[in-house]
Amino acid sequence: MSRIWAVMPAAGQGSRFGGDCPKQYLPLAGKAIIERSIAAILRCPDLAGLVVALGPADSRFAGLTCASDPRVHTVTGGDDRARSVENALDYLIASADPDDWVLVHDAARPCLSWSELEALLSAGDSSSEGALLALPVVDTLKRVDSDGRVVATVERDQLWRAQTPQYFPLFKLRDALRHCRLAGEQVTDEASAMQAVGARPRVVAGSHRNIKITHPEDLALAEGFLRELQQQVQQ
């Protein structure tokens, strides 16, 4: 049977958030954001291991409780997300089998629920081309020029906002990321790398609670979402 692995790129500094501390290490309800993101993935009962791609000068991760979990490993990340994920996949190749799969999850997305993860795994298992959590776009979209003036209204009926985790065959994703790097193609998520080599990943409806912490005001939202998730578990 194929196994499930996980990768978490965490080499970025979160420049849009501001401050001296990378956002993934900021406290959220008593734990670092990245600890909660890792805990959400470790809920997967069949998880073989999780690799966190860290910045070369990272001195914070080793002090977290999750760093001592035997399923958690680390590698040095790259200059961007794609290279960090590729480095982590290269690490896993030594232990993985050709039919293994991998979840890739953002370090700053701590409110993933088990029901979302379970739905993603089910969808991925029924498609050889992978799957990703996403939300349909509900706001009216405007295209603007360099002066900030509206030039068009964009049709939104078939537009979705990509989230994580994203779930793909491990070896195929590693090869897709390598292809894009060698071809000079910029990718912003794993699904776009798979699309570049002809795959058509399946979209799985996620939740607005699965927020990616990007700005300071997102912390309060995330705390509220975590409380909601805890209440659901207790009911």
Side-chain angles (χ1 to χ4, degrees):
M1 293 181 62
S2 60
R3 292 176 294 175
I4 301 171
W5 304 84
V7 163
M8 186 169 290
Q13 295 300 307
S15 56
R16 284 179 289 179
F17 196 95
D20 298 328
C21 178
K23 64 181 178 181
Q24 61 266 31
Y25 292 111
L26 292 173
L28 176 64
K31 293 184 178 181
I33 291 170
I34 191 173
E35 286 187 281
R36 296 200 172 276
S37 299
I38 288 174
I41 296 297
L42 292 181
R43 292 192 194 106
C44 179
D46 300 319
L47 192 72
L50 183 153
V51 181
V52 185
L54 301 171
D58 189 300
S59 60
R60 293 178 171 90
F61 187 80
L64 302 180
T65 301
C66 60
S68 61
D69 190 299
R71 294 169 292 176
V72 176
H73 310 273
T74 61
V75 297
T76 300
D79 294 334
D80 57 22
R81 177 194 178 91
R83 193 56 193 269
S84 290
V85 173
E86 187 180 344
N87 288 357
L89 294 174
D90 284 339
Y91 175 90
L92 285 174
I93 291 297
S95 302
D97 294 324
D99 59 347
D100 286 353
W101 283 62
V102 63
L103 290 159
V104 184
H105 189 47
D106 294 328
R109 210 178 279 272
C111 302
L112 174 70
S113 70
W114 167 242
S115 61
E116 293 170 88
L117 181 55
E118 188 176 34
L120 176 68
L121 294 172
S122 177
D125 290 343
S126 64
S127 170
S128 62
E129 297 181 284
L132 67 150
L133 290 180
L135 285 176
V137 172
V138 296
D139 296 317
T140 299
L141 298 177
K142 302 293 185 181
R143 181 177 291 113
V144 301
D145 61 19
S146 58
D147 293 326
R149 296 181 182 276
V150 174
V151 296
T153 298
V154 179
E155 179 60 46
R156 68 187 181 195
D157 287 350
Q158 295 181 317
L159 295 180
W160 290 64
R161 294 190 291 119
Q163 298 181 321
T164 68
Q166 301 190 4
Y167 185 48
F168 297 104
L170 193 156
F171 281 72
K172 289 182 179 179
L173 178 58
R174 193 280 304 267
D175 291 346
L177 288 167
R178 178 177 293 175
H179 164 84
C180 291
R181 174 170 54 85
L182 295 177
E185 299 181 27
Q186 186 174 9
V187 296
T188 55
D189 69 349
E190 294 65 50
S192 58
M194 294 294 289
Q195 290 169 246
V197 295
R200 298 178 62 193
R202 183 182 300 278
V203 165
V204 178
S207 166
H208 70 282
R209 296 185 185 90
N210 187 20
I211 184 175
K212 183 177 182 181
I213 295 177
T214 306
H215 304 288
E217 56 268 27
D218 295 334
L219 283 170
L221 286 173
E223 285 199 27
F225 292 152
L226 285 174
R227 284 195 295 269
E228 289 181 24
L229 290 172
Q230 291 168 356
Q231 290 171 359
Q232 289 177 3
V233 171
Q234 294 170 358
Q235 290 175 354

